[in-house]
């Protein structure tokens, strides 16, 4: 189930599964995501915000403004492409997500919502979630087996882009 809370930057599968206590998230957590990499825990991508770590400590997530400091958009897009560029659904969604990151809006929360909406639209969330819920009610064992099989193919701590790029519309079974 998708939380109504402001999403973190490229939120994790665990966040989308509502397995993270949103009240325990710190403001800086809204600026970060983990993606697949050669290192064990993955790679952290952090969106710079105006005011830096000081702003992340004193402001609410919805008040953070994205900073143009550094070359973060190129670095993030390159890292995402390196991590997931060979996945079957990458080419279908990445250009739209890259456009959002490359031409980021003023507020971090707005960018995060735009990115979440792209992923949800891509997997057909609003059109199919009720069917998935009905299927879960009628055949919970089968749906659990599908979810377990799909979850074994991803790291739920990583951004939800991982299952979306890898599994496409089947990612909805993880929610």
């Amino acid at each position: 189930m998708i939380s109504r809370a402001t999403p973190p930057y490229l939120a994790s599968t665990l966040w989308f599964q509502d397995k993270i206590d949103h009240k325990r998230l710190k403001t800086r957590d809204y600026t970060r995501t983990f993606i697949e990499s050669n290192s064990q825990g993955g790679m952290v991508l952090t969106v710079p915000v105006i005011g830096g770590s000081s702003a992340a400590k004193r402001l609410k997530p919805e008040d953070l403004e994205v900073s143009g400091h550094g070359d973060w958009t190129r670095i993030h897009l390159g890292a995402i492409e390196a991590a997931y560029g060979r996945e079957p659904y990458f080419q279908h969604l990445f250009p739209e997500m890259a456009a959002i990151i490359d031409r980021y809006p003023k507020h971090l929360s707005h960018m995060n919502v735009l990115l979440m909406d792209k992923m949800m639209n891509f997997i057909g969330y609003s059109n199919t979630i009720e069917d998935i819920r009905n299927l879960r009610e009628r055949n919970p064992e089968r749906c659990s087996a599908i979810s377990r099989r799909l979850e074994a193919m991803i790291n739920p701590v990583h951004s939800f882009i991982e299952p979306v790029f890898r599994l496409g519309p089947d990612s909805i079974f993880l929610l």
Side-chain angles (χ1 to χ4, degrees):
M1 174 175 292
I2 296 184
S3 172
R4 295 184 194 278
T6 300
Y9 175 59
L10 295 172
S12 70
T13 300
L14 291 174
W15 185 89
F16 278 97
Q17 293 172 329
D18 219 12
K19 293 182 178 175
I20 291 180
D21 182 0
H22 302 282
K23 294 174 187 157
R24 297 190 73 158
L25 287 177
K26 295 180 175 152
T27 300
R28 69 183 166 127
D29 295 328
Y30 289 85
T31 67
R32 299 177 176 177
T33 193
F34 288 94
I35 63 168
E36 190 172 88
S37 77
N38 294 337
S39 57
Q40 181 104 14
M43 174 186 283
V44 179
L45 299 178
T46 304
V47 176
V49 293
I50 294 175
S53 61
S54 170
K57 288 177 185 171
R58 62 183 166 74
L59 298 176
K60 296 176 185 171
E62 53 273 7
D63 295 331
L64 294 176
E65 293 182 20
V66 179
S67 171
H69 181 74
D71 199 11
W72 75 269
T73 58
R74 185 188 62 77
I75 292 166
H76 285 213
L77 296 174
I80 292 167
E81 186 170 6
Y84 305 112
R86 294 180 182 229
E87 298 296 347
Y89 295 93
F90 179 84
Q91 65 185 348
H92 303 289
L93 180 60
F94 182 72
E96 292 179 44
M97 296 188 78
I100 294 168
I101 292 170
D102 197 40
R103 289 183 234 108
Y104 56 88
K106 180 179 180 178
H107 286 93
L108 176 70
S109 59
H110 185 210
M111 180 175 70
N112 294 352
V113 168
L114 290 172
L115 291 167
M116 179 183 74
D117 287 348
K118 283 292 177 201
M119 289 186 280
M120 294 300 99
N121 289 337
F122 184 76
I123 66 171
Y125 181 84
S126 61
N127 295 329
T128 57
I129 194 62
E130 283 306 315
D131 293 335
I132 299 294
R133 288 179 181 144
N134 291 335
L135 181 61
R136 280 194 177 123
E137 285 178 24
R138 289 191 318 270
N139 200 336
E141 301 85 23
R142 177 70 182 135
C143 284
S144 288
I146 292 169
S147 295
R148 281 192 307 274
R149 180 179 55 82
L150 295 176
E151 201 161 289
M153 301 169 79
I154 60 138
N155 183 337
V157 173
H158 291 171
S159 170
F160 192 63
I161 60 173
E162 183 167 296
V164 172
F165 288 152
R166 190 168 292 158
L167 307 170
D170 288 347
S171 302
I172 199 163
F173 282 97
L174 296 168
L175 304 179

